[in-house]
Amino acid sequence: MGHPAARGALLLAAAAGTVLAAGQPVPAVAAAHGPARPGDPRGDEPDTPQGAKIPLHGSGGGPAGPAKPGAGGELPATTRAAIINRAKKWVAARVPYSNTDYWPDGYRQDCSGLVSMAWNLPGNEWTGSLGTFGVRVSRDQLQPGDMLLFHNAADPQNGSHVVLFGGWADYTHTYYLAYEQTRPHTRGQSTPYAYWSNSDRYVPYRYKGLAEETSGAVVSATGATSSRYPGRSFFGPGADNPHVTRLGEQLVKKGFGTYYTSGPGPRWGEADRRGVEAFQRAQGWRGGAADGCPGPETWRRLFS
């Protein structure tokens, strides 16, 4: 029996940006520090019915082979950077929403199609099958490239959604950056956790084929991250990456976050520099040793 059409999906993160090169950190979006938008959510919650599970549609019009998780073959390996880059390409292309049309890459132009595309799945999935490609994680383990899935099994046409998590938009973890496929086209915006409605019914998942190691951190399928120093190039004016967010969060934990009026976030700012400088001075360092930019020893002490 065919799957019934379900109501839309939301993919997370922020507006389209520069595509990452392999091995580079995943950048957060420009909307990361955007203000929260309380009130009636209906203006931001899209009506996006999704199509059923179906193979990819190739450029020649013929379907590719369907995805078969757990049927003897391994899922395609991918990285967080690649997941976010694929989602950003759809944002940049302003892919029109449709639960019957397919983009040239073979993926259906609806919410579950976007997640299938971003995770590089071998077929178009729907909210009733996407969970088989992931492992459940907790809210505090969420990282860019994970998804938030709500499948209303009792009535798939009423409320089912899927979202790609693009990173927290505020330090309180109340809003996150979401990539989503919606009318009229793909968008990225700040969204309340877990979603505008049915918030308690969304389940976080991490792609089973995730395998990522960057120069700054090693991320496992369980969400654990090493405390290895990522390098000085990840900090300072113009820096925009998850390491800046992690640095800020650790400064707050250590009691040096008084300079933040919002965030911490992925963009390096004066609050980050002053927080690092205050921490360095608390170590008894002066002059060039307290320059406000974390070096290996600052990082080691901050994360010890």
Side-chain angles (χ1 to χ4, degrees):
M1 185 173 70
H3 293 286
R7 214 189 115 235
L10 176 66
L11 297 169
L12 353 172
T18 304
V19 174
L20 295 178
Q24 293 301 308
V26 179
V29 186
H33 298 289
R37 290 171 293 176
D40 186 354
R42 287 174 295 182
D44 288 288
E45 182 171 5
D47 177 23
T48 56
Q50 65 176 331
K53 178 174 177 174
I54 194 170
L56 294 181
H57 280 231
S59 58
K68 296 181 179 179
E74 292 187 1
L75 291 174
T78 191
T79 65
R80 295 189 184 283
I83 291 171
I84 297 301
N85 282 336
R86 284 191 286 267
K88 283 187 174 184
K89 284 182 178 179
W90 272 32
V91 174
R94 299 166 68 89
V95 175
Y97 171 82
S98 173
N99 63 350
T100 57
D101 293 337
Y102 297 82
W103 200 238
D105 56 17
Y107 292 96
R108 189 177 55 245
Q109 296 165 210
D110 60 8
C111 61
S112 49
L114 190 150
V115 175
S116 298
M117 177 276 300
W119 277 12
N120 198 32
L121 299 181
N124 285 285
E125 301 300 319
W126 73 311
T127 57
S129 61
L130 277 169
T132 64
F133 294 87
V135 293
R136 293 184 62 165
V137 296
S138 64
R139 171 175 174 164
D140 60 2
Q141 290 176 328
L142 275 168
Q143 296 185 50
D146 296 340
M147 75 170 176
L148 293 167
L149 177 68
F150 165 38
H151 178 64
N152 188 3
D155 184 3
Q157 291 183 315
N158 182 21
S160 296
H161 249 19
V162 60
V163 303
L164 258 189
F165 184 82
W168 293 109
D170 60 2
Y171 176 64
T172 63
H173 292 187
T174 303
Y175 276 70
Y176 64 90
L177 306 175
Y179 285 117
E180 67 172 320
Q181 183 64 11
T182 180
R183 294 184 176 95
H185 50 69
T186 321
R187 72 180 183 181
Q189 70 171 30
S190 179
T191 302
Y193 187 87
Y195 197 58
W196 300 102
S197 63
N198 296 304
S199 181
D200 60 341
R201 302 182 69 181
Y202 281 78
V203 180
Y205 284 90
R206 178 157 300 150
Y207 177 52
K208 289 180 179 178
L210 186 68
E212 176 165 1
E213 180 175 355
T214 71
S215 60
V218 177
V219 184
S220 72
T222 61
T225 307
S226 78
S227 59
R228 181 172 35 177
Y229 177 59
R232 197 176 182 90
S233 62
F234 285 92
F235 308 101
D240 187 341
N241 60 76
H243 302 299
V244 177
T245 303
R246 189 162 175 241
L247 168 73
E249 291 176 344
Q250 192 68 8
L251 286 170
V252 171
K253 290 179 182 179
K254 293 284 189 176
F256 296 89
T258 58
Y259 301 104
Y260 293 107
T261 57
S262 64
R267 293 193 200 88
W268 179 269
E270 182 64 11
D272 299 297
R273 188 198 68 77
R274 294 180 69 184
V276 172
E277 181 183 6
F279 176 78
Q280 291 169 331
R281 290 186 175 277
Q283 312 309 303
W285 302 342
R286 297 293 183 269
D291 60 359
C293 189
E297 183 60 17
T298 299
W299 190 268
R300 185 188 70 80
R301 295 194 183 196
L302 187 60
F303 285 89
S304 65

